Amino acid sequence: MVLTDAEGRVLFCSAVRPGSCADITQARQLGLVQLLADGPFMEILADAGYQGMGAQTGGRMITPPHRKFKKNAPVWYEERHEQQRKAHSSRRIRVEHGITHLKNWRTLTRHLGRREHMSDIVQAVAGLLSHQQTTALDRGLRA
């Protein structure tokens, strides 16, 4: 799980877990639901893998809209659903770019080592990426 700010800068990257795990399960195990429910107000733009967490977090987790009609949906509903989906996607694009920057590091794309070390490597790369993005931001502010 990767958390970024609104500009796409990496803020947090969780440890890698063995096997496949649903996004929502990992968020619950990391305590994200409790943090959002009890902590300071913040809004998280999530993908469809987190649908259902909005109710558990008091509306702080924002996911793409559900499809109410599977078949024979009215035209007005299809148009409205498409508008909502595009609006969410437009707000979330910078988050996706931040995650992509993390995935593009050669160390992660061409990892041939032991799986046991992958979590440490991901944490190190996330730290380096966060530092790189913060340094670039500082240089931009000075110019």
Side-chain angles (χ1 to χ4, degrees), residues 108-137:
L108 298 178
T109 58
R110 297 187 181 148
H111 178 71
L112 299 173
R114 299 183 58 88
R115 282 183 267 164
E116 293 83 22
H117 304 299
M118 190 63 179
S119 187
D120 294 332
I121 293 170
V122 168
Q123 296 290 313
V125 169
L128 289 170
L129 178 60
S130 179
H131 177 71
Q132 179 186 37
Q133 291 170 337
T134 303
T135 305
L137 177 66

PDB file of all heavy atoms in Angstrom, residues 108-137:
ATOM      1  N   LEU A 108      13.311  -2.290  -8.534  1.00  0.00           N
ATOM      2  CA  LEU A 108      12.042  -3.004  -8.328  1.00  0.00           C
ATOM      3  C   LEU A 108      11.566  -3.717  -9.593  1.00  0.00           C
ATOM      4  O   LEU A 108      10.987  -4.791  -9.515  1.00  0.00           O
ATOM      5  CB  LEU A 108      10.963  -2.030  -7.851  1.00  0.00           C
ATOM      6  CG  LEU A 108      11.237  -1.352  -6.509  1.00  0.00           C
ATOM      7  CD1 LEU A 108      10.117  -0.386  -6.175  1.00  0.00           C
ATOM      8  CD2 LEU A 108      11.400  -2.387  -5.417  1.00  0.00           C
ATOM      9  N   THR A 109      11.812  -3.121 -10.755  1.00  0.00           N
ATOM     10  CA  THR A 109      11.316  -3.732 -11.987  1.00  0.00           C
ATOM     11  C   THR A 109      12.111  -4.959 -12.391  1.00  0.00           C
ATOM     12  O   THR A 109      11.587  -5.848 -13.045  1.00  0.00           O
ATOM     13  CB  THR A 109      11.324  -2.730 -13.156  1.00  0.00           C
ATOM     14  OG1 THR A 109      12.654  -2.247 -13.354  1.00  0.00           O
ATOM     15  CG2 THR A 109      10.384  -1.582 -12.889  1.00  0.00           C
ATOM     16  N   ARG A 110      13.404  -4.993 -11.987  1.00  0.00           N
ATOM     17  CA  ARG A 110      14.257  -6.113 -12.387  1.00  0.00           C
ATOM     18  C   ARG A 110      14.788  -6.880 -11.189  1.00  0.00           C
ATOM     19  O   ARG A 110      15.920  -7.349 -11.187  1.00  0.00           O
ATOM     20  CB  ARG A 110      15.420  -5.596 -13.227  1.00  0.00           C
ATOM     21  CG  ARG A 110      14.944  -4.957 -14.500  1.00  0.00           C
ATOM     22  CD  ARG A 110      16.091  -4.617 -15.391  1.00  0.00           C
ATOM     23  NE  ARG A 110      15.576  -3.979 -16.588  1.00  0.00           N
ATOM     24  CZ  ARG A 110      16.205  -3.060 -17.256  1.00  0.00           C
ATOM     25  NH1 ARG A 110      17.386  -2.655 -16.855  1.00  0.00           N
ATOM     26  NH2 ARG A 110      15.672  -2.521 -18.330  1.00  0.00           N
ATOM     27  N   HIS A 111      13.992  -6.999 -10.166  1.00  0.00           N
ATOM     28  CA  HIS A 111      14.436  -7.687  -8.952  1.00  0.00           C
ATOM     29  C   HIS A 111      14.563  -9.177  -9.214  1.00  0.00           C
ATOM     30  O   HIS A 111      13.599  -9.836  -9.594  1.00  0.00           O
ATOM     31  CB  HIS A 111      13.443  -7.445  -7.811  1.00  0.00           C
ATOM     32  CG  HIS A 111      13.814  -8.154  -6.558  1.00  0.00           C
ATOM     33  ND1 HIS A 111      14.879  -7.774  -5.786  1.00  0.00           N
ATOM     34  CD2 HIS A 111      13.279  -9.242  -5.954  1.00  0.00           C
ATOM     35  CE1 HIS A 111      14.977  -8.589  -4.753  1.00  0.00           C
ATOM     36  NE2 HIS A 111      14.013  -9.486  -4.835  1.00  0.00           N
ATOM     37  N   LEU A 112      15.772  -9.692  -9.030  1.00  0.00           N
ATOM     38  CA  LEU A 112      16.021 -11.120  -9.227  1.00  0.00           C
ATOM     39  C   LEU A 112      16.490 -11.794  -7.945  1.00  0.00           C
ATOM     40  O   LEU A 112      16.810 -12.973  -7.951  1.00  0.00           O
ATOM     41  CB  LEU A 112      17.083 -11.319 -10.322  1.00  0.00           C
ATOM     42  CG  LEU A 112      16.703 -10.768 -11.701  1.00  0.00           C
ATOM     43  CD1 LEU A 112      17.890 -10.879 -12.644  1.00  0.00           C
ATOM     44  CD2 LEU A 112      15.500 -11.483 -12.250  1.00  0.00           C
ATOM     45  N   GLY A 113      16.522 -11.053  -6.867  1.00  0.00           N
ATOM     46  CA  GLY A 113      17.010 -11.586  -5.598  1.00  0.00           C
ATOM     47  C   GLY A 113      15.946 -12.367  -4.843  1.00  0.00           C
ATOM     48  O   GLY A 113      14.891 -12.722  -5.365  1.00  0.00           O
ATOM     49  N   ARG A 114      16.231 -12.601  -3.597  1.00  0.00           N
ATOM     50  CA  ARG A 114      15.331 -13.374  -2.750  1.00  0.00           C
ATOM     51  C   ARG A 114      14.107 -12.542  -2.362  1.00  0.00           C
ATOM     52  O   ARG A 114      14.202 -11.348  -2.124  1.00  0.00           O
ATOM     53  CB  ARG A 114      16.094 -13.827  -1.504  1.00  0.00           C
ATOM     54  CG  ARG A 114      17.281 -14.714  -1.840  1.00  0.00           C
ATOM     55  CD  ARG A 114      17.960 -15.197  -0.590  1.00  0.00           C
ATOM     56  NE  ARG A 114      17.087 -15.918   0.288  1.00  0.00           N
ATOM     57  CZ  ARG A 114      16.855 -17.236   0.238  1.00  0.00           C
ATOM     58  NH1 ARG A 114      17.433 -17.956  -0.679  1.00  0.00           N
ATOM     59  NH2 ARG A 114      16.052 -17.810   1.110  1.00  0.00           N
ATOM     60  N   ARG A 115      12.973 -13.211  -2.291  1.00  0.00           N
ATOM     61  CA  ARG A 115      11.730 -12.529  -1.920  1.00  0.00           C
ATOM     62  C   ARG A 115      11.765 -11.990  -0.497  1.00  0.00           C
ATOM     63  O   ARG A 115      11.103 -11.019  -0.189  1.00  0.00           O
ATOM     64  CB  ARG A 115      10.543 -13.484  -2.067  1.00  0.00           C
ATOM     65  CG  ARG A 115      10.104 -13.649  -3.498  1.00  0.00           C
ATOM     66  CD  ARG A 115       8.907 -14.534  -3.563  1.00  0.00           C
ATOM     67  NE  ARG A 115       9.427 -15.894  -3.778  1.00  0.00           N
ATOM     68  CZ  ARG A 115       8.749 -17.001  -3.591  1.00  0.00           C
ATOM     69  NH1 ARG A 115       7.517 -16.951  -3.181  1.00  0.00           N
ATOM     70  NH2 ARG A 115       9.282 -18.173  -3.822  1.00  0.00           N
ATOM     71  N   GLU A 116      12.545 -12.620   0.356  1.00  0.00           N
ATOM     72  CA  GLU A 116      12.609 -12.186   1.743  1.00  0.00           C
ATOM     73  C   GLU A 116      13.162 -10.766   1.868  1.00  0.00           C
ATOM     74  O   GLU A 116      12.898 -10.064   2.835  1.00  0.00           O
ATOM     75  CB  GLU A 116      13.484 -13.138   2.579  1.00  0.00           C
ATOM     76  CG  GLU A 116      12.896 -14.524   2.746  1.00  0.00           C
ATOM     77  CD  GLU A 116      13.188 -15.432   1.549  1.00  0.00           C
ATOM     78  OE1 GLU A 116      14.149 -15.165   0.798  1.00  0.00           O
ATOM     79  OE2 GLU A 116      12.437 -16.397   1.358  1.00  0.00           O
ATOM     80  N   HIS A 117      13.967 -10.342   0.895  1.00  0.00           N
ATOM     81  CA  HIS A 117      14.587  -9.015   0.932  1.00  0.00           C
ATOM     82  C   HIS A 117      13.745  -7.945   0.233  1.00  0.00           C
ATOM     83  O   HIS A 117      14.076  -6.762   0.308  1.00  0.00           O
ATOM     84  CB  HIS A 117      15.977  -9.060   0.298  1.00  0.00           C
ATOM     85  CG  HIS A 117      16.898 -10.059   0.927  1.00  0.00           C
ATOM     86  ND1 HIS A 117      17.272  -9.995   2.262  1.00  0.00           N
ATOM     87  CD2 HIS A 117      17.506 -11.159   0.429  1.00  0.00           C
ATOM     88  CE1 HIS A 117      18.071 -11.002   2.541  1.00  0.00           C
ATOM     89  NE2 HIS A 117      18.225 -11.728   1.447  1.00  0.00           N
ATOM     90  N   MET A 118      12.688  -8.345  -0.430  1.00  0.00           N
ATOM     91  CA  MET A 118      11.904  -7.409  -1.234  1.00  0.00           C
ATOM     92  C   MET A 118      11.296  -6.291  -0.389  1.00  0.00           C
ATOM     93  O   MET A 118      11.268  -5.139  -0.805  1.00  0.00           O
ATOM     94  CB  MET A 118      10.801  -8.165  -1.991  1.00  0.00           C
ATOM     95  CG  MET A 118      10.103  -7.336  -3.016  1.00  0.00           C
ATOM     96  SD  MET A 118      11.250  -6.824  -4.281  1.00  0.00           S
ATOM     97  CE  MET A 118      10.176  -5.932  -5.336  1.00  0.00           C
ATOM     98  N   SER A 119      10.813  -6.596   0.798  1.00  0.00           N
ATOM     99  CA  SER A 119      10.201  -5.588   1.650  1.00  0.00           C
ATOM    100  C   SER A 119      11.199  -4.496   2.010  1.00  0.00           C
ATOM    101  O   SER A 119      10.878  -3.303   1.960  1.00  0.00           O
ATOM    102  CB  SER A 119       9.637  -6.226   2.917  1.00  0.00           C
ATOM    103  OG  SER A 119       8.914  -5.270   3.648  1.00  0.00           O
ATOM    104  N   ASP A 120      12.431  -4.891   2.358  1.00  0.00           N
ATOM    105  CA  ASP A 120      13.466  -3.907   2.690  1.00  0.00           C
ATOM    106  C   ASP A 120      13.816  -3.055   1.478  1.00  0.00           C
ATOM    107  O   ASP A 120      14.031  -1.844   1.603  1.00  0.00           O
ATOM    108  CB  ASP A 120      14.730  -4.606   3.211  1.00  0.00           C
ATOM    109  CG  ASP A 120      14.497  -5.313   4.533  1.00  0.00           C
ATOM    110  OD1 ASP A 120      13.600  -4.864   5.293  1.00  0.00           O
ATOM    111  OD2 ASP A 120      15.191  -6.311   4.802  1.00  0.00           O
ATOM    112  N   ILE A 121      13.863  -3.663   0.311  1.00  0.00           N
ATOM    113  CA  ILE A 121      14.202  -2.932  -0.907  1.00  0.00           C
ATOM    114  C   ILE A 121      13.108  -1.916  -1.233  1.00  0.00           C
ATOM    115  O   ILE A 121      13.392  -0.763  -1.564  1.00  0.00           O
ATOM    116  CB  ILE A 121      14.425  -3.909  -2.082  1.00  0.00           C
ATOM    117  CG1 ILE A 121      15.676  -4.745  -1.829  1.00  0.00           C
ATOM    118  CG2 ILE A 121      14.529  -3.160  -3.402  1.00  0.00           C
ATOM    119  CD1 ILE A 121      15.860  -5.901  -2.792  1.00  0.00           C
ATOM    120  N   VAL A 122      11.843  -2.321  -1.109  1.00  0.00           N
ATOM    121  CA  VAL A 122      10.733  -1.406  -1.387  1.00  0.00           C
ATOM    122  C   VAL A 122      10.767  -0.230  -0.419  1.00  0.00           C
ATOM    123  O   VAL A 122      10.589   0.931  -0.820  1.00  0.00           O
ATOM    124  CB  VAL A 122       9.375  -2.148  -1.309  1.00  0.00           C
ATOM    125  CG1 VAL A 122       8.225  -1.173  -1.307  1.00  0.00           C
ATOM    126  CG2 VAL A 122       9.244  -3.113  -2.465  1.00  0.00           C
ATOM    127  N   GLN A 123      11.012  -0.488   0.852  1.00  0.00           N
ATOM    128  CA  GLN A 123      11.089   0.581   1.839  1.00  0.00           C
ATOM    129  C   GLN A 123      12.234   1.541   1.529  1.00  0.00           C
ATOM    130  O   GLN A 123      12.085   2.763   1.628  1.00  0.00           O
ATOM    131  CB  GLN A 123      11.271  -0.003   3.244  1.00  0.00           C
ATOM    132  CG  GLN A 123      10.111  -0.840   3.728  1.00  0.00           C
ATOM    133  CD  GLN A 123       8.886  -0.007   4.023  1.00  0.00           C
ATOM    134  OE1 GLN A 123       8.969   1.004   4.679  1.00  0.00           O
ATOM    135  NE2 GLN A 123       7.754  -0.440   3.510  1.00  0.00           N
ATOM    136  N   ALA A 124      13.381   1.003   1.125  1.00  0.00           N
ATOM    137  CA  ALA A 124      14.534   1.841   0.797  1.00  0.00           C
ATOM    138  C   ALA A 124      14.252   2.701  -0.437  1.00  0.00           C
ATOM    139  O   ALA A 124      14.552   3.901  -0.448  1.00  0.00           O
ATOM    140  CB  ALA A 124      15.767   0.966   0.565  1.00  0.00           C
ATOM    141  N   VAL A 125      13.682   2.105  -1.466  1.00  0.00           N
ATOM    142  CA  VAL A 125      13.372   2.852  -2.684  1.00  0.00           C
ATOM    143  C   VAL A 125      12.333   3.928  -2.395  1.00  0.00           C
ATOM    144  O   VAL A 125      12.438   5.058  -2.888  1.00  0.00           O
ATOM    145  CB  VAL A 125      12.907   1.897  -3.809  1.00  0.00           C
ATOM    146  CG1 VAL A 125      12.325   2.662  -4.976  1.00  0.00           C
ATOM    147  CG2 VAL A 125      14.064   1.026  -4.271  1.00  0.00           C
ATOM    148  N   ALA A 126      11.325   3.608  -1.586  1.00  0.00           N
ATOM    149  CA  ALA A 126      10.309   4.608  -1.228  1.00  0.00           C
ATOM    150  C   ALA A 126      10.944   5.778  -0.481  1.00  0.00           C
ATOM    151  O   ALA A 126      10.610   6.935  -0.729  1.00  0.00           O
ATOM    152  CB  ALA A 126       9.213   3.970  -0.381  1.00  0.00           C
ATOM    153  N   GLY A 127      11.883   5.500   0.407  1.00  0.00           N
ATOM    154  CA  GLY A 127      12.585   6.564   1.111  1.00  0.00           C
ATOM    155  C   GLY A 127      13.412   7.423   0.175  1.00  0.00           C
ATOM    156  O   GLY A 127      13.420   8.656   0.265  1.00  0.00           O
ATOM    157  N   LEU A 128      14.118   6.780  -0.758  1.00  0.00           N
ATOM    158  CA  LEU A 128      14.909   7.529  -1.734  1.00  0.00           C
ATOM    159  C   LEU A 128      14.018   8.373  -2.642  1.00  0.00           C
ATOM    160  O   LEU A 128      14.339   9.525  -2.938  1.00  0.00           O
ATOM    161  CB  LEU A 128      15.746   6.564  -2.583  1.00  0.00           C
ATOM    162  CG  LEU A 128      16.910   5.889  -1.869  1.00  0.00           C
ATOM    163  CD1 LEU A 128      17.500   4.790  -2.733  1.00  0.00           C
ATOM    164  CD2 LEU A 128      17.968   6.910  -1.493  1.00  0.00           C
ATOM    165  N   LEU A 129      12.917   7.809  -3.079  1.00  0.00           N
ATOM    166  CA  LEU A 129      11.997   8.537  -3.945  1.00  0.00           C
ATOM    167  C   LEU A 129      11.394   9.725  -3.213  1.00  0.00           C
ATOM    168  O   LEU A 129      11.311  10.827  -3.759  1.00  0.00           O
ATOM    169  CB  LEU A 129      10.886   7.615  -4.450  1.00  0.00           C
ATOM    170  CG  LEU A 129       9.829   8.262  -5.336  1.00  0.00           C
ATOM    171  CD1 LEU A 129      10.454   8.841  -6.593  1.00  0.00           C
ATOM    172  CD2 LEU A 129       8.762   7.248  -5.696  1.00  0.00           C
ATOM    173  N   SER A 130      10.997   9.526  -1.969  1.00  0.00           N
ATOM    174  CA  SER A 130      10.437  10.614  -1.179  1.00  0.00           C
ATOM    175  C   SER A 130      11.459  11.740  -1.013  1.00  0.00           C
ATOM    176  O   SER A 130      11.140  12.917  -1.161  1.00  0.00           O
ATOM    177  CB  SER A 130       9.995  10.097   0.184  1.00  0.00           C
ATOM    178  OG  SER A 130       9.476  11.135   0.960  1.00  0.00           O
ATOM    179  N   HIS A 131      12.720  11.375  -0.732  1.00  0.00           N
ATOM    180  CA  HIS A 131      13.780  12.374  -0.600  1.00  0.00           C
ATOM    181  C   HIS A 131      14.016  13.104  -1.925  1.00  0.00           C
ATOM    182  O   HIS A 131      14.158  14.325  -1.956  1.00  0.00           O
ATOM    183  CB  HIS A 131      15.075  11.714  -0.127  1.00  0.00           C
ATOM    184  CG  HIS A 131      16.230  12.653  -0.040  1.00  0.00           C
ATOM    185  ND1 HIS A 131      16.315  13.621   0.932  1.00  0.00           N
ATOM    186  CD2 HIS A 131      17.330  12.788  -0.816  1.00  0.00           C
ATOM    187  CE1 HIS A 131      17.422  14.313   0.749  1.00  0.00           C
ATOM    188  NE2 HIS A 131      18.057  13.824  -0.296  1.00  0.00           N
ATOM    189  N   GLN A 132      14.026  12.349  -3.021  1.00  0.00           N
ATOM    190  CA  GLN A 132      14.223  12.938  -4.347  1.00  0.00           C
ATOM    191  C   GLN A 132      13.105  13.931  -4.671  1.00  0.00           C
ATOM    192  O   GLN A 132      13.359  15.028  -5.166  1.00  0.00           O
ATOM    193  CB  GLN A 132      14.270  11.830  -5.394  1.00  0.00           C
ATOM    194  CG  GLN A 132      14.449  12.325  -6.813  1.00  0.00           C
ATOM    195  CD  GLN A 132      14.346  11.194  -7.809  1.00  0.00           C
ATOM    196  OE1 GLN A 132      13.542  10.271  -7.632  1.00  0.00           O
ATOM    197  NE2 GLN A 132      15.145  11.254  -8.853  1.00  0.00           N
ATOM    198  N   GLN A 133      11.873  13.559  -4.376  1.00  0.00           N
ATOM    199  CA  GLN A 133      10.739  14.436  -4.671  1.00  0.00           C
ATOM    200  C   GLN A 133      10.762  15.678  -3.788  1.00  0.00           C
ATOM    201  O   GLN A 133      10.456  16.774  -4.236  1.00  0.00           O
ATOM    202  CB  GLN A 133       9.428  13.676  -4.490  1.00  0.00           C
ATOM    203  CG  GLN A 133       9.210  12.615  -5.536  1.00  0.00           C
ATOM    204  CD  GLN A 133       8.035  11.711  -5.225  1.00  0.00           C
ATOM    205  OE1 GLN A 133       7.620  11.564  -4.083  1.00  0.00           O
ATOM    206  NE2 GLN A 133       7.484  11.089  -6.261  1.00  0.00           N
ATOM    207  N   THR A 134      11.145  15.538  -2.528  1.00  0.00           N
ATOM    208  CA  THR A 134      11.223  16.681  -1.613  1.00  0.00           C
ATOM    209  C   THR A 134      12.345  17.622  -2.040  1.00  0.00           C
ATOM    210  O   THR A 134      12.183  18.836  -2.032  1.00  0.00           O
ATOM    211  CB  THR A 134      11.464  16.198  -0.174  1.00  0.00           C
ATOM    212  OG1 THR A 134      10.420  15.295   0.179  1.00  0.00           O
ATOM    213  CG2 THR A 134      11.467  17.361   0.801  1.00  0.00           C
ATOM    214  N   THR A 135      13.480  17.072  -2.448  1.00  0.00           N
ATOM    215  CA  THR A 135      14.599  17.886  -2.910  1.00  0.00           C
ATOM    216  C   THR A 135      14.224  18.650  -4.164  1.00  0.00           C
ATOM    217  O   THR A 135      14.544  19.835  -4.295  1.00  0.00           O
ATOM    218  CB  THR A 135      15.830  17.002  -3.175  1.00  0.00           C
ATOM    219  OG1 THR A 135      16.128  16.262  -1.988  1.00  0.00           O
ATOM    220  CG2 THR A 135      17.041  17.826  -3.575  1.00  0.00           C
ATOM    221  N   ALA A 136      13.539  18.002  -5.100  1.00  0.00           N
ATOM    222  CA  ALA A 136      13.099  18.671  -6.320  1.00  0.00           C
ATOM    223  C   ALA A 136      12.121  19.797  -6.000  1.00  0.00           C
ATOM    224  O   ALA A 136      12.158  20.864  -6.618  1.00  0.00           O
ATOM    225  CB  ALA A 136      12.461  17.662  -7.277  1.00  0.00           C
ATOM    226  N   LEU A 137      11.278  19.576  -5.003  1.00  0.00           N
ATOM    227  CA  LEU A 137      10.317  20.610  -4.581  1.00  0.00           C
ATOM    228  C   LEU A 137      11.054  21.805  -3.991  1.00  0.00           C
ATOM    229  O   LEU A 137      10.753  22.956  -4.303  1.00  0.00           O
ATOM    230  CB  LEU A 137       9.319  20.047  -3.564  1.00  0.00           C
ATOM    231  CG  LEU A 137       8.310  21.020  -2.982  1.00  0.00           C
ATOM    232  CD1 LEU A 137       7.358  21.488  -4.094  1.00  0.00           C
ATOM    233  CD2 LEU A 137       7.538  20.400  -1.861  1.00  0.00           C
TER     234      LEU A 137
END
